[in-house]
Amino acid sequence: MTSEKDIESWNERADRFGEAWRSEVGRPNFVALWELYAAEPDVVISDTLPPIQGFRGFEQMRQSIYPGLKRILVRRTGPIAVKYLVAGSVVVVSYPFHLSYGFANGTGLEIEARISEVWEKRAGRYVIVHEHPSTVYAHPPAGQSNSSGAA
């Protein structure tokens, strides 16, 4: 069972994650993100934008993420779910969040999503070793409707 103190601690991590990604200058705060992600290249980082296959390691992500990005805002929008595994050395968390992207060409995206993160205790502290978002699209795929069919 996860205590309220544990939940609060993971809420704080999730909020630090959002703050580290937030930027009005086109690049997230990589110094802050460096503290959250494992440095080893075995980390798998997926994103809501291409490349859909994600990144292998923090350094690859840092070098190539978001060409043309002008701003990014990331905000947790709901409660966090926490599951401890392997005697607490691995923790899986998930929570809903909102992303707002603005690009140099004047386009932008507003995305509601849920993120799942796997944190592993390495060198005495928890770091992200895997993450992937699940995007909630505002419009159904072509040929489908939002209607349930009920009259």
Side-chain angles (χ1 to χ4, degrees), residues 38-102:
E40 296 81 8
D42 64 334
V43 175
V44 177
I45 304 167
S46 300
D47 197 62
T48 55
L49 300 177
I52 202 71
Q53 73 275 11
F55 302 96
R56 294 291 294 171
F58 180 80
E59 188 59 28
Q60 182 190 34
M61 177 193 66
R62 188 182 73 77
Q63 294 296 326
S64 58
I65 197 166
Y66 304 143
L69 183 70
K70 187 174 178 182
R71 72 169 168 76
I72 180 173
L73 303 172
V74 179
R75 179 177 49 86
R76 183 172 57 90
T77 59
I80 194 166
V82 179
K83 183 171 185 175
Y84 288 91
L85 304 169
V86 194
S89 64
V90 174
V91 180
V92 178
V93 301
S94 66
Y95 51 91
F97 69 114
H98 179 82
L99 294 152
S100 178
Y101 295 106

Side-chain angles (χ1 to χ4, degrees), residues 68-144:
L69 183 70
K70 187 174 178 182
R71 72 169 168 76
I72 180 173
L73 303 172
V74 179
R75 179 177 49 86
R76 183 172 57 90
T77 59
I80 194 166
V82 179
K83 183 171 185 175
Y84 288 91
L85 304 169
V86 194
S89 64
V90 174
V91 180
V92 178
V93 301
S94 66
Y95 51 91
F97 69 114
H98 179 82
L99 294 152
S100 178
Y101 295 106
F103 295 94
N105 66 3
T107 63
L109 293 169
E110 300 293 325
I111 300 172
E112 298 298 328
R114 171 171 292 281
I115 193 161
S116 298
E117 300 164 340
V118 179
W119 296 72
E120 184 178 323
K121 196 173 252 187
R122 293 186 179 183
R125 66 185 184 95
Y126 286 108
V127 289
I128 298 170
V129 296
H130 174 85
E131 73 173 21
H132 69 270
S134 302
T135 304
V136 179
Y137 293 96
H139 302 286
Q144 296 183 12

Side-chain angles (χ1 to χ4, degrees), residues 6-39:
D6 286 340
I7 294 294
E8 182 160 330
S9 170
W10 287 104
N11 278 331
E12 289 170 6
R13 277 186 184 89
D15 293 341
R16 280 197 321 268
F17 174 86
E19 284 298 315
W21 276 104
R22 178 181 303 234
S23 172
E24 296 287 341
V25 296
R27 304 301 278 169
N29 182 342
F30 286 119
V31 173
L33 289 173
W34 183 257
E35 294 296 317
L36 298 174
Y37 288 92

